[in-house]
Amino acid sequence: MDNSVKISPLDGRLALAASFVRPGSVVCDVGTDHAYLPIWLIQSGICPSAVACDINEGPLKSAKEHAARFGCDDRITFCLTDGLRGVDLDGCGVRDIVICGMGGELIARIYGESSYTRRADVRGILQPMSSVEDLRASLAQDGFRIEDERLAEAAGRIYTCMSVVYDGIIRNPTPAALVLGEAHIRRGCEEPLFAAYLRRTIQSAEKKYRGRCSGALDASAEKALLDELMAIAEKEGVNV
């Protein structure tokens, strides 16, 4: 092992997720792939150790090889598993759980089925690639509070990443809050990528609305969402 070998900087998407990890916390990276995130967190001195999980043997083998190359293999526990199933989170001292690069529905299933995520000292750092509104809706109904949510750009795409904690309170976000995120709406254009994120969301809402209309289906819910999004755009001075 060569501890002088440094891993490359993370791209915008993973760097955003890393920014939510609390210094000194043991992190669990679900769907770790090549373990770039836990290696970077350890090398940066943010995390003393980590757990790296993946459902496939190939990526986990690559993760172990990368950890050895970068001198972190003695500080990472590797688990071949589906989500968090069977992982000794408490024994490893995990407090921050990162799930990046999956669809929102899958993230909701993985995070919601674990009782460990409902501990007061545990935080989830979730970065969905799709079905973001489904993830927000599931979290709201399962008693998880989104503490904060931020945007990042990588490879020409805009991604959102959220920090969540369990408080047991069932929430009923508005349709716009589900597709945009309450934190993004609250900050508006104070967040550099918000205007582009809002435009993309409106385009998606318009497509669904037109699809319902062309099929002679009830589009009242889609119209209400679109009106809410357009009102936010007008308030923020975003041209769409």
Side-chain angles (χ1 to χ4, degrees):
M1 294 184 295
D2 184 356
N3 289 303
S4 66
V5 180
K6 296 296 182 183
I7 197 166
S8 300
L10 301 173
D11 67 8
R13 181 176 67 88
L14 287 181
L16 176 60
S19 72
F20 280 116
V21 176
R22 294 169 289 183
S25 174
V26 175
V27 68
C28 177
D29 183 30
V30 181
T32 194
D33 197 17
H34 293 80
Y36 291 134
L37 180 62
I39 292 171
W40 187 89
L41 288 167
I42 290 172
Q43 285 197 336
S44 300
I46 296 171
C47 295
S49 61
V51 176
C53 305
D54 209 284
I55 195 172
N56 296 308
E57 291 184 6
L60 201 64
K61 181 175 181 290
S62 295
K64 292 176 181 177
E65 291 171 350
H66 280 116
R69 177 187 174 194
F70 293 106
C72 299
D73 53 330
D74 61 333
R75 284 172 284 173
I76 299 179
T77 300
F78 299 92
C79 299
L80 181 66
T81 185
D82 178 6
L84 295 167
R85 294 174 181 173
V87 181
D88 186 10
L89 297 167
D90 197 21
C92 293
V94 170
R95 294 298 178 266
D96 286 353
I97 298 173
V98 179
I99 311 178
C100 293
M102 303 181 194
E105 292 177 331
L106 178 56
I107 292 176
R109 190 270 289 173
I110 291 173
Y111 201 74
E113 72 179 9
S114 172
S115 61
Y116 193 82
T117 62
R118 288 161 172 78
R119 288 178 42 152
D121 58 346
V122 171
R123 173 188 288 175
I125 299 163
L126 314 177
Q127 184 275 300
M129 300 292 280
S130 61
S131 302
V132 184
E133 63 271 25
D134 293 323
L135 174 58
R136 293 193 186 107
S138 179
L139 292 169
Q141 288 302 302
D142 288 345
F144 291 99
R145 175 171 60 88
I146 300 176
E147 289 185 307
D148 197 8
E149 194 168 349
R150 298 280 178 175
L151 299 170
E153 188 171 12
R157 289 186 60 184
I158 297 175
Y159 300 93
T160 189
C161 185
M162 59 192 75
S163 169
V164 308
V165 295
Y166 182 76
D167 61 9
I169 298 173
I170 308 303
R171 295 171 171 81
N172 293 288
T174 67
L178 286 177
V179 298
L180 270 182
E182 290 180 356
H184 298 314
I185 295 172
R186 183 172 61 252
R187 282 191 298 269
C189 286
E190 293 177 8
E191 194 166 21
L193 293 169
F194 177 76
Y197 186 64
L198 176 59
R199 290 191 190 99
R200 185 191 70 176
T201 304
I202 289 174
Q203 289 170 1
S204 177
E206 286 178 333
K207 183 178 179 180
K208 291 179 181 178
Y209 173 65
R210 289 195 300 267
R212 298 283 295 183
C213 290
S214 64
L217 300 172
D218 179 16
S220 56
E222 287 74 16
K223 181 63 165 59
L225 170 61
L226 195 53
D227 288 345
E228 192 177 357
L229 292 174
M230 294 301 291
I232 292 171
E234 182 177 1
K235 175 179 177 291
E236 293 295 327
V238 175
N239 296 320
V240 296

Short mmCIF file of all heavy atoms in Angstrom, two decimals, residues 139-173:
data_model
loop_
_atom_site.label_atom_id
_atom_site.label_comp_id
_atom_site.label_asym_id
_atom_site.label_seq_id
_atom_site.Cartn_x
_atom_site.Cartn_y
_atom_site.Cartn_z
N LEU A 139 -40.22 9.49 1.58
CA LEU A 139 -39.60 10.01 2.80
C LEU A 139 -40.63 10.74 3.66
O LEU A 139 -40.68 10.57 4.88
CB LEU A 139 -38.45 10.96 2.45
CG LEU A 139 -37.21 10.33 1.80
CD1 LEU A 139 -36.28 11.42 1.27
CD2 LEU A 139 -36.47 9.43 2.78
N ALA A 140 -41.48 11.55 3.01
CA ALA A 140 -42.49 12.31 3.74
C ALA A 140 -43.48 11.39 4.45
O ALA A 140 -43.88 11.64 5.59
CB ALA A 140 -43.23 13.23 2.77
N GLN A 141 -43.86 10.31 3.78
CA GLN A 141 -44.84 9.39 4.36
C GLN A 141 -44.23 8.46 5.40
O GLN A 141 -44.94 7.92 6.26
CB GLN A 141 -45.50 8.57 3.25
CG GLN A 141 -46.47 9.37 2.39
CD GLN A 141 -47.59 9.99 3.21
OE1 GLN A 141 -48.33 9.29 3.89
NE2 GLN A 141 -47.71 11.31 3.17
N ASP A 142 -42.93 8.25 5.33
CA ASP A 142 -42.25 7.36 6.27
C ASP A 142 -41.69 8.07 7.49
O ASP A 142 -41.03 7.45 8.33
CB ASP A 142 -41.12 6.60 5.56
CG ASP A 142 -41.64 5.53 4.62
OD1 ASP A 142 -42.84 5.18 4.71
OD2 ASP A 142 -40.87 5.05 3.77
N GLY A 143 -41.92 9.37 7.59
CA GLY A 143 -41.48 10.11 8.78
C GLY A 143 -40.07 10.63 8.73
O GLY A 143 -39.48 10.94 9.77
N PHE A 144 -39.51 10.77 7.52
CA PHE A 144 -38.17 11.33 7.37
C PHE A 144 -38.26 12.80 6.98
O PHE A 144 -39.07 13.17 6.13
CB PHE A 144 -37.36 10.57 6.31
CG PHE A 144 -37.00 9.17 6.71
CD1 PHE A 144 -37.73 8.10 6.27
CD2 PHE A 144 -35.90 8.94 7.53
CE1 PHE A 144 -37.41 6.80 6.64
CE2 PHE A 144 -35.56 7.65 7.91
CZ PHE A 144 -36.32 6.58 7.46
N ARG A 145 -37.45 13.61 7.60
CA ARG A 145 -37.41 15.04 7.30
C ARG A 145 -36.19 15.36 6.43
O ARG A 145 -35.07 14.94 6.75
CB ARG A 145 -37.34 15.86 8.59
CG ARG A 145 -37.18 17.37 8.37
CD ARG A 145 -37.35 18.12 9.69
NE ARG A 145 -36.37 17.72 10.68
CZ ARG A 145 -35.15 18.27 10.81
NH1 ARG A 145 -34.79 19.26 10.01
NH2 ARG A 145 -34.33 17.85 11.76
N ILE A 146 -36.42 16.06 5.34
CA ILE A 146 -35.31 16.51 4.50
C ILE A 146 -34.73 17.77 5.13
O ILE A 146 -35.33 18.84 5.10
CB ILE A 146 -35.76 16.77 3.05
CG1 ILE A 146 -36.33 15.49 2.43
CG2 ILE A 146 -34.59 17.29 2.22
CD1 ILE A 146 -36.89 15.66 1.03
N GLU A 147 -33.54 17.62 5.73
CA GLU A 147 -32.89 18.76 6.40
C GLU A 147 -32.46 19.82 5.40
O GLU A 147 -32.63 21.01 5.63
CB GLU A 147 -31.65 18.28 7.15
CG GLU A 147 -31.87 17.45 8.36
CD GLU A 147 -30.55 17.15 9.05
OE1 GLU A 147 -29.62 16.65 8.39
OE2 GLU A 147 -30.46 17.42 10.25
N ASP A 148 -31.85 19.36 4.33
CA ASP A 148 -31.34 20.28 3.32
C ASP A 148 -31.25 19.53 2.00
O ASP A 148 -31.21 18.29 1.96
CB ASP A 148 -29.96 20.82 3.72
CG ASP A 148 -29.58 22.07 2.93
OD1 ASP A 148 -30.44 22.59 2.18
OD2 ASP A 148 -28.42 22.51 3.03
N GLU A 149 -31.21 20.30 0.93
CA GLU A 149 -31.11 19.71 -0.41
C GLU A 149 -30.36 20.72 -1.27
O GLU A 149 -30.67 21.91 -1.26
CB GLU A 149 -32.51 19.43 -0.95
CG GLU A 149 -32.53 18.54 -2.16
CD GLU A 149 -33.93 18.03 -2.51
OE1 GLU A 149 -34.86 18.21 -1.69
OE2 GLU A 149 -34.10 17.45 -3.59
N ARG A 150 -29.40 20.23 -2.01
CA ARG A 150 -28.57 21.10 -2.85
C ARG A 150 -28.46 20.54 -4.26
O ARG A 150 -28.71 19.35 -4.49
CB ARG A 150 -27.17 21.23 -2.24
CG ARG A 150 -27.13 21.86 -0.86
CD ARG A 150 -27.22 23.37 -0.92
NE ARG A 150 -27.24 23.97 0.40
CZ ARG A 150 -27.21 25.28 0.63
NH1 ARG A 150 -27.15 26.12 -0.40
NH2 ARG A 150 -27.25 25.75 1.86
N LEU A 151 -28.04 21.40 -5.18
CA LEU A 151 -27.89 21.02 -6.58
C LEU A 151 -26.43 21.00 -6.98
O LEU A 151 -25.61 21.76 -6.46
CB LEU A 151 -28.65 22.00 -7.47
CG LEU A 151 -30.17 22.10 -7.26
CD1 LEU A 151 -30.73 23.28 -8.03
CD2 LEU A 151 -30.84 20.80 -7.68
N ALA A 152 -26.11 20.14 -7.94
CA ALA A 152 -24.77 20.09 -8.51
C ALA A 152 -24.88 19.71 -9.97
O ALA A 152 -25.87 19.10 -10.41
CB ALA A 152 -23.90 19.08 -7.77
N GLU A 153 -23.87 20.07 -10.73
CA GLU A 153 -23.84 19.73 -12.16
C GLU A 153 -22.66 18.83 -12.44
O GLU A 153 -21.56 19.04 -11.94
CB GLU A 153 -23.75 21.01 -13.00
CG GLU A 153 -23.91 20.76 -14.49
CD GLU A 153 -24.02 22.06 -15.28
OE1 GLU A 153 -23.74 23.13 -14.71
OE2 GLU A 153 -24.40 21.99 -16.47
N ALA A 154 -22.90 17.81 -13.25
CA ALA A 154 -21.83 16.90 -13.66
C ALA A 154 -22.19 16.33 -15.03
O ALA A 154 -23.33 15.92 -15.24
CB ALA A 154 -21.65 15.76 -12.65
N ALA A 155 -21.24 16.36 -15.93
CA ALA A 155 -21.43 15.82 -17.28
C ALA A 155 -22.67 16.40 -17.96
O ALA A 155 -23.41 15.70 -18.65
CB ALA A 155 -21.50 14.30 -17.25
N GLY A 156 -22.89 17.69 -17.73
CA GLY A 156 -23.99 18.38 -18.39
C GLY A 156 -25.36 18.14 -17.78
O GLY A 156 -26.36 18.63 -18.31
N ARG A 157 -25.45 17.42 -16.69
CA ARG A 157 -26.73 17.16 -16.04
C ARG A 157 -26.77 17.81 -14.66
O ARG A 157 -25.73 17.99 -14.03
CB ARG A 157 -26.97 15.66 -15.89
CG ARG A 157 -27.27 14.93 -17.18
CD ARG A 157 -27.64 13.48 -16.91
NE ARG A 157 -28.82 13.36 -16.04
CZ ARG A 157 -29.29 12.20 -15.60
NH1 ARG A 157 -28.70 11.06 -15.93
NH2 ARG A 157 -30.36 12.17 -14.82
N ILE A 158 -27.96 18.17 -14.21
CA ILE A 158 -28.14 18.73 -12.88
C ILE A 158 -28.69 17.65 -11.97
O ILE A 158 -29.65 16.97 -12.30
CB ILE A 158 -29.09 19.95 -12.92
CG1 ILE A 158 -28.49 21.07 -13.77
CG2 ILE A 158 -29.35 20.46 -11.50
CD1 ILE A 158 -29.42 22.25 -13.97
N TYR A 159 -28.05 17.52 -10.81
CA TYR A 159 -28.45 16.51 -9.83
C TYR A 159 -28.80 17.19 -8.51
O TYR A 159 -28.25 18.23 -8.18
CB TYR A 159 -27.31 15.52 -9.59
CG TYR A 159 -26.88 14.76 -10.81
CD1 TYR A 159 -25.82 15.24 -11.60
CD2 TYR A 159 -27.50 13.59 -11.20
CE1 TYR A 159 -25.42 14.55 -12.74
CE2 TYR A 159 -27.10 12.89 -12.32
CZ TYR A 159 -26.06 13.37 -13.09
OH TYR A 159 -25.65 12.69 -14.21
N THR A 160 -29.71 16.55 -7.79
CA THR A 160 -30.02 17.01 -6.45
C THR A 160 -29.54 15.98 -5.44
O THR A 160 -29.52 14.78 -5.72
CB THR A 160 -31.53 17.27 -6.27
OG1 THR A 160 -31.75 17.92 -5.02
CG2 THR A 160 -32.34 15.99 -6.34
N CYS A 161 -29.14 16.45 -4.28
CA CYS A 161 -28.72 15.57 -3.19
C CYS A 161 -29.33 16.10 -1.91
O CYS A 161 -29.34 17.31 -1.68
CB CYS A 161 -27.20 15.53 -3.08
SG CYS A 161 -26.58 14.35 -1.85
N MET A 162 -29.86 15.19 -1.11
CA MET A 162 -30.55 15.61 0.10
C MET A 162 -29.99 14.95 1.35
O MET A 162 -29.49 13.82 1.29
CB MET A 162 -32.05 15.31 -0.02
CG MET A 162 -32.38 13.86 -0.27
SD MET A 162 -34.12 13.58 -0.76
CE MET A 162 -34.10 14.16 -2.46
N SER A 163 -30.08 15.66 2.44
CA SER A 163 -29.70 15.14 3.75
C SER A 163 -30.98 14.93 4.53
O SER A 163 -31.80 15.85 4.66
CB SER A 163 -28.80 16.15 4.47
OG SER A 163 -28.64 15.80 5.83
N VAL A 164 -31.19 13.70 5.04
CA VAL A 164 -32.46 13.38 5.71
C VAL A 164 -32.22 12.79 7.09
O VAL A 164 -31.23 12.11 7.33
CB VAL A 164 -33.31 12.42 4.85
CG1 VAL A 164 -33.48 12.95 3.44
CG2 VAL A 164 -32.71 11.02 4.81
N VAL A 165 -33.16 13.06 7.98
CA VAL A 165 -33.15 12.49 9.33
C VAL A 165 -34.56 12.02 9.66
O VAL A 165 -35.55 12.50 9.07
CB VAL A 165 -32.68 13.51 10.40
CG1 VAL A 165 -31.23 13.89 10.19
CG2 VAL A 165 -33.58 14.74 10.38
N TYR A 166 -34.66 11.10 10.59
CA TYR A 166 -35.97 10.57 10.98
C TYR A 166 -36.49 11.31 12.20
O TYR A 166 -35.80 11.46 13.21
CB TYR A 166 -35.86 9.09 11.30
CG TYR A 166 -37.17 8.45 11.68
CD1 TYR A 166 -38.11 8.15 10.70
CD2 TYR A 166 -37.48 8.16 13.01
CE1 TYR A 166 -39.33 7.58 11.04
CE2 TYR A 166 -38.69 7.59 13.36
CZ TYR A 166 -39.61 7.30 12.36
OH TYR A 166 -40.82 6.73 12.70
N ASP A 167 -37.73 11.80 12.11
CA ASP A 167 -38.38 12.39 13.28
C ASP A 167 -39.78 11.83 13.50
O ASP A 167 -40.47 12.23 14.44
CB ASP A 167 -38.42 13.92 13.18
CG ASP A 167 -39.22 14.43 11.99
OD1 ASP A 167 -39.89 13.62 11.32
OD2 ASP A 167 -39.16 15.65 11.71
N GLY A 168 -40.22 10.92 12.63
CA GLY A 168 -41.50 10.26 12.80
C GLY A 168 -42.72 11.06 12.38
O GLY A 168 -43.84 10.58 12.50
N ILE A 169 -42.50 12.27 11.89
CA ILE A 169 -43.62 13.13 11.50
C ILE A 169 -44.01 12.86 10.05
O ILE A 169 -43.16 12.93 9.15
CB ILE A 169 -43.27 14.61 11.68
CG1 ILE A 169 -42.96 14.91 13.16
CG2 ILE A 169 -44.39 15.51 11.18
CD1 ILE A 169 -42.44 16.31 13.41
N ILE A 170 -45.28 12.56 9.82
CA ILE A 170 -45.77 12.34 8.47
C ILE A 170 -46.05 13.70 7.83
O ILE A 170 -46.73 14.55 8.41
CB ILE A 170 -47.05 11.49 8.46
CG1 ILE A 170 -46.83 10.20 9.26
CG2 ILE A 170 -47.49 11.18 7.04
CD1 ILE A 170 -45.68 9.34 8.77
N ARG A 171 -45.55 13.89 6.62
CA ARG A 171 -45.69 15.17 5.95
C ARG A 171 -46.47 15.01 4.65
O ARG A 171 -46.51 13.93 4.07
CB ARG A 171 -44.31 15.78 5.66
CG ARG A 171 -43.55 16.13 6.92
CD ARG A 171 -42.11 16.53 6.64
NE ARG A 171 -41.48 17.06 7.84
CZ ARG A 171 -40.97 16.32 8.82
NH1 ARG A 171 -40.99 15.00 8.73
NH2 ARG A 171 -40.42 16.87 9.88
N ASN A 172 -47.06 16.11 4.19
CA ASN A 172 -47.82 16.12 2.94
C ASN A 172 -47.37 17.29 2.09
O ASN A 172 -48.02 18.35 2.04
CB ASN A 172 -49.33 16.22 3.23
CG ASN A 172 -49.86 14.97 3.91
OD1 ASN A 172 -49.98 13.93 3.28
ND2 ASN A 172 -50.17 15.09 5.20
N PRO A 173 -46.22 17.14 1.41
CA PRO A 173 -45.69 18.24 0.59
C PRO A 173 -46.64 18.57 -0.56
O PRO A 173 -47.40 17.72 -1.03
CB PRO A 173 -44.37 17.66 0.06
CG PRO A 173 -44.06 16.49 0.93
CD PRO A 173 -45.38 15.94 1.37
#
